[in-house]
Amino acid sequence: MGLATGYMAHFLATNWLELTVACLVVVLIRLAVRRSAHYKSYLSSSNDRPKKVIRKITVCAPSEAEEDSQTSNMVDPLWPEDLKQIPFTFNSLSKEESIKKSQDFYDLMKQRRTIRFFSSAPVPREVIENVIKAAGTAPSGAHTEPWTFVAVCDPNVKQELRTIVETEEEINYTKRMGKEWVRDLKGFQTNWVKEYLTVAPWLILVFKQTYGLLPDGRRRNHYYNEISTGLASGILLSAIHASGLTTLTSTPLNCGPALRLLLQRPPNEKLVLLLPVGYPAPDATVPELHRKPIDQIMTVV
């Protein structure tokens, strides 16, 4: 027994790795055999189980009752199907006249600049009404005219508005906008101080109407409300410049809800632009900028 024990001890000491691997292989084989037997047992028993029924789902067109229900929830058409069609009056221009008018308009608009230094000199209300009427000639989806222009001239309201804007703009410049955005604006010498909001004689706030409100509380769809309001805003800028006035396209971040409440606008209106409007200050300056040439903004196919 002593010799056998010594021999076994020597054998185990010199071949322990091989023995360990062999034991692991045996264990894995036994586990595989057990799992195979269990799987066969599961298959044989499953033959006696009820089969799972797979239902086919058929998409059907809505019934007449469902269509009637959907139609009853719709608001009345904005325009009747038999809307009167009238002749379009168009004053044709010769080729030479068309070229001249297009050049004249370009020569006028290329002088337009964004101004941050305004005079407090008064501007007649009639001028403001006319430029807003011009903006209202813009096209809109289904002619819903989804815009509201709020003209502010009250000094107290302008001061409240400025307080709201400057409070949010300081957070924008220091936290929200990021270093790259703030860096790109340094050449324009702009920051969160918006003195022009109380100096300019008029402020025009452009709101888009995201939907219309009917007297019974139902909503009317306003198609392409943001694009339509953008088109109207472009005409507004052109009309302001053509009237001999200046403006600044201000889009104060995170101020919309507070300004909407200040001006008592309904919840379906969202602020798009804030425009100070007036004459430039006598010492107003603008950055020396250059616009892209035609070959960089136009492609002919």
Side-chain angles (χ1 to χ4, degrees), residues 36 51 75-76 94 108 120 123 138 142 165 177 199 217 220 224 240 255 265 269 295:
S36 177
K51 301 298 182 181
V75 300
D76 293 334
S94 66
L108 172 66
S120 59
V123 171
V165 171
M177 292 165 57
V199 174
R220 178 181 295 284
Y224 304 107
I240 290 171
C255 296
R265 303 311 307 160
E269 295 186 0
D295 60 348

Side-chain angles (χ1 to χ4, degrees), residues 6-290:
Y7 175 77
M8 289 297 296
H10 176 73
F11 179 79
L12 291 172
T14 56
N15 299 280
W16 65 270
L17 180 60
E18 290 82 353
L19 289 172
T20 301
V21 173
C23 290
L24 288 174
V25 171
V26 171
V27 170
L28 292 174
I29 291 174
R30 289 175 64 85
L31 287 174
V33 170
R34 285 185 181 181
R35 296 186 72 176
S36 177
H38 177 73
Y39 182 65
K40 289 180 180 179
S41 175
Y42 170 80
L43 289 178
S44 62
S45 63
S46 65
N47 292 330
D48 301 327
R49 298 176 185 175
K51 301 298 182 181
K52 183 177 180 180
V53 177
I54 300 177
R55 292 185 176 182
K56 292 184 177 180
I57 300 177
T58 304
V59 179
C60 301
S63 64
E64 291 185 5
E66 290 173 331
E67 287 185 345
D68 291 341
S69 175
Q70 294 174 2
T71 303
S72 65
N73 291 328
M74 294 173 59
V75 300
D76 293 334
L78 183 61
W79 308 106
E81 291 186 9
D82 58 348
L83 180 64
K84 183 180 180 181
Q85 306 292 310
I86 60 176
F88 173 56
T89 302
F90 182 73
N91 296 321
S92 298
L93 300 176
S94 66
K95 181 179 68 174
E96 292 74 20
E97 289 175 319
S98 182
I99 292 174
K100 184 179 186 305
K101 281 186 172 292
S102 64
Q103 182 65 46
D104 290 344
F105 186 73
Y106 168 65
D107 290 338
L108 172 66
M109 295 308 300
K110 72 179 181 181
Q111 300 171 30
R112 187 206 60 79
R113 294 301 304 267
T114 295
I115 296 295
R116 291 179 170 83
F117 308 99
F118 286 82
S119 165
S120 59
V123 171
R125 172 172 171 168
E126 187 177 2
V127 175
I128 300 302
E129 290 180 350
N130 285 337
V131 298
I132 290 177
K133 285 192 295 184
T137 67
S140 60
H143 197 63
T144 52
E145 301 176 294
W147 44 64
T148 300
F149 303 92
V150 180
V152 179
C153 62
D154 186 299
N156 295 325
V157 177
K158 289 196 293 182
Q159 182 59 60
E160 290 186 64
L161 189 149
R162 177 180 174 181
T163 300
I164 293 172
V165 171
E166 288 185 336
T167 300
E168 289 295 333
E169 284 285 77
E170 182 174 6
I171 301 173
N172 292 336
Y173 272 82
T174 57
K175 296 180 180 180
R176 295 178 180 137
M177 292 165 57
K179 293 181 179 180
E180 183 177 353
W181 190 351
V182 173
R183 182 199 63 192
D184 288 343
L185 289 175
K186 283 187 176 179
F188 296 92
Q189 299 179 11
T190 179
N191 53 38
W192 61 81
V193 179
K194 309 297 182 183
E195 185 178 358
Y196 52 75
L197 293 176
T198 48
V199 174
W202 290 92
L203 304 177
I204 299 179
L205 291 91
V206 183
F207 289 84
K208 66 176 182 179
Q209 300 173 5
T210 54
Y211 53 88
L213 284 173
L214 299 180
D216 60 4
R218 290 185 298 168
R219 299 182 178 185
R220 178 181 295 284
N221 289 328
H222 277 178
Y223 315 101
Y224 304 107
N225 57 79
E226 186 160 4
I227 295 175
S228 300
T229 306
L231 294 170
S233 299
I235 295 177
L236 177 62
L237 293 176
S238 300
I240 290 171
H241 178 68
S243 301
L245 302 174
T246 57
T247 187
L248 162 73
T249 50
S250 170
T251 54
L253 297 175
N254 299 289
C255 296
L259 295 180
R260 180 177 62 80
L261 291 176
L262 172 66
L263 301 173
Q264 301 180 2
R265 303 311 307 160
N268 64 317
E269 295 186 0
K270 307 297 180 186
L271 180 65
V272 175
L273 285 175
L274 168 56
L275 307 175
V277 179
Y279 300 103
D283 57 349
T285 59
V286 294
E288 185 178 5
L289 300 174
H290 303 281

